[in-house]
Amino acid sequence: MLSRTADHLFWMARYMERAENTARMLDVTLKALLLPQSEESALRSQRAVLDISELGQAFAERYDALTPENVLRFMVTDADNPSSILRCLQAARENARAVRGAITTESWETINHTWLEFGNRLAENGWLQDPNALFEWVKFRSHLSRGVTLGTALQDGAFYFTQLGTFLERADNTARILDVRFVSGGRETGTVSAAQLDDFYYWTSILSSVSALEIYRQVYRDVLAPERVVELLILNPSMPRSLLASLDGVVTNLAMLTTQNSMECERYAGKLRAELLFSDIRDVLDQGLHEYLTQFLARMYVLGNKISTTFLLPTTV
């Protein structure tokens, strides 16, 4: 497969996943703002959404005040924000169009219709009155896109690059949500304290942002405990959006794309997965959750670069 084709497929999947992840974060944040809280706490929650995507400075340059409406406009419809839902869906569609012959008709029509319908929904100007409905729609369209790919695509190189993009983006996003929400909530950057056991709504919001609340109840059948939330989202291989499950997906798809030059990339991904697989939640918390996740994100950045240089960037002769 041509490296530029693989690159389009990889980023098509990443942008669809990123659009869904942004919708999830905004949805949970808006619902959290409805709870009784101080003005400082509300501002911290809104700032966390920007910090997750490292967009705090970009927002400050474009908007005078940190308000729910400004954050929504910036993260949903701002064409100058490369991580807004608008730009993510547009980028997913453009990457899909560039490799129209490498994906199924159903996949193309799903992504193309998502982009067109999103524009229609924004044109109605009613989305600000009920943004949660828009976020549910974005999540549904992302689910549909993945389902259509799994149900119609030949499991060849194109399929594996698409899956690779999805899992890499998912791992990055889960780590960011857990890290930024933990720190922005006024938590210590080290060990989780016993006093946080009673912070039900805070930990519920973290689980809800990655569709893990019901899974938590199935796995632990007990009250919410910070240590268990962290364990579920980092080390549980059966939790679809955990770091370990995401790295499982990355390693599995890399193995299907093996070339004579990919050993270093596969080794790096395998080592990162192995460290998660054989880690203990006590080791994570003893190191400090913020420090652990910061290190993980840095290594995910390195892994993304290795994937790009190994598979996606055209080589020169």
Side-chain angles (χ1 to χ4, degrees):
M1 178 181 293
L2 292 175
S3 57
R4 60 176 174 271
T5 299
D7 185 69
H8 284 303
L9 292 165
F10 177 81
W11 283 104
M12 174 192 75
R14 288 201 70 165
Y15 279 120
M16 282 300 294
E17 182 74 16
R18 191 174 299 177
E20 177 188 346
N21 292 333
T22 301
R24 286 176 177 277
M25 291 185 292
L26 292 172
D27 187 28
V28 170
T29 300
L30 281 182
K31 290 176 180 176
L33 290 177
L34 298 176
L35 298 172
Q37 59 189 297
S38 65
E39 182 178 349
E40 179 184 356
S41 179
L43 289 174
R44 201 162 49 224
S45 295
Q46 296 171 64
R47 193 174 295 111
V49 175
L50 303 173
D51 291 341
I52 286 173
S53 302
E54 300 180 2
L55 293 170
Q57 182 61 37
F59 176 87
E61 292 173 355
R62 292 181 52 76
Y63 296 88
D64 295 330
L66 183 64
T67 66
E69 182 174 337
N70 284 345
V71 171
L72 281 175
R73 291 189 182 279
F74 182 67
M75 295 301 297
V76 176
T77 65
D78 197 322
D80 293 322
N81 174 12
S83 292
S84 69
I85 295 177
L86 173 74
R87 286 291 303 276
C88 287
L89 293 180
Q90 182 184 37
R93 191 259 184 187
E94 289 305 307
N95 278 285
R97 184 178 62 83
V99 289
R100 175 66 185 83
I103 59 177
T104 65
T105 298
E106 290 89 342
S107 291
W108 161 248
E109 289 179 347
T110 299
I111 294 175
N112 188 48
H113 179 75
T114 299
W115 166 244
L116 296 175
E117 178 62 22
F118 184 74
N120 292 336
R121 287 173 178 262
L122 295 186
E124 295 172 358
N125 288 323
W127 70 272
L128 271 173
Q129 279 65 53
D130 188 13
N132 299 108
L134 180 66
F135 301 149
E136 287 299 321
W137 179 84
V138 171
K139 288 191 287 182
F140 169 76
R141 296 302 298 186
S142 178
H143 295 326
L144 182 61
S145 177
R146 280 196 304 274
V148 167
T149 298
L150 290 171
T152 66
L154 177 68
Q155 294 194 13
D156 59 358
F159 176 82
Y160 298 128
F161 277 116
T162 301
Q163 292 293 94
L164 185 59
T166 296
F167 286 117
L168 196 69
E169 183 67 29
R170 185 173 296 175
D172 183 89
N173 182 76
T174 297
R176 289 180 185 277
I177 286 179
L178 190 54
D179 184 31
V180 176
R181 287 201 176 280
F182 183 81
V183 176
S184 69
R187 274 68 188 169
E188 298 296 329
T189 58
T191 306
V192 180
S193 68
Q196 294 166 20
L197 289 168
D198 297 327
D199 200 346
F200 175 82
Y201 292 110
Y202 172 79
W203 294 104
T204 297
S205 73
I206 289 181
L207 291 170
S208 297
S209 65
V210 290
S211 295
L213 184 56
E214 293 176 343
I215 294 177
Y216 181 94
R217 290 167 176 162
Q218 289 178 317
V219 172
Y220 297 108
R221 301 182 182 277
D222 201 352
V223 297
L224 287 177
E227 293 86 350
R228 290 179 173 177
V229 173
V230 174
E231 182 179 45
L232 182 70
L233 298 187
I234 294 179
L235 302 177
N236 192 312
S238 299
M239 162 59 199
R241 292 182 175 274
S242 73
L243 301 189
L244 179 54
S246 299
L247 262 295
D248 281 344
V250 170
V251 170
T252 298
N253 285 280
L254 278 176
M256 304 303 295
L257 296 166
T258 297
T259 69
Q260 60 181 2
N261 299 318
S262 64
M263 183 57 68
E264 171 59 23
C265 181
E266 293 180 64
R267 185 198 65 80
Y268 190 88
K271 182 179 179 181
L272 182 54
R273 174 189 174 275
E275 290 180 6
L276 284 170
L277 183 62
F278 296 105
S279 289
D280 184 275
I281 187 59
R282 290 168 296 185
D283 298 329
V284 174
L285 296 179
D286 287 344
Q287 178 180 346
L289 183 60
H290 178 61
E291 181 181 345
Y292 179 90
L293 292 171
T294 299
Q295 183 182 78
F296 177 85
L297 285 168
R299 297 176 71 181
M300 287 300 296
Y301 179 79
V302 173
L303 177 57
N305 285 338
K306 286 183 179 293
I307 290 173
S308 293
T309 55
T310 302
F311 299 102
L312 308 180
L313 298 179
T315 56
T316 58
V317 179

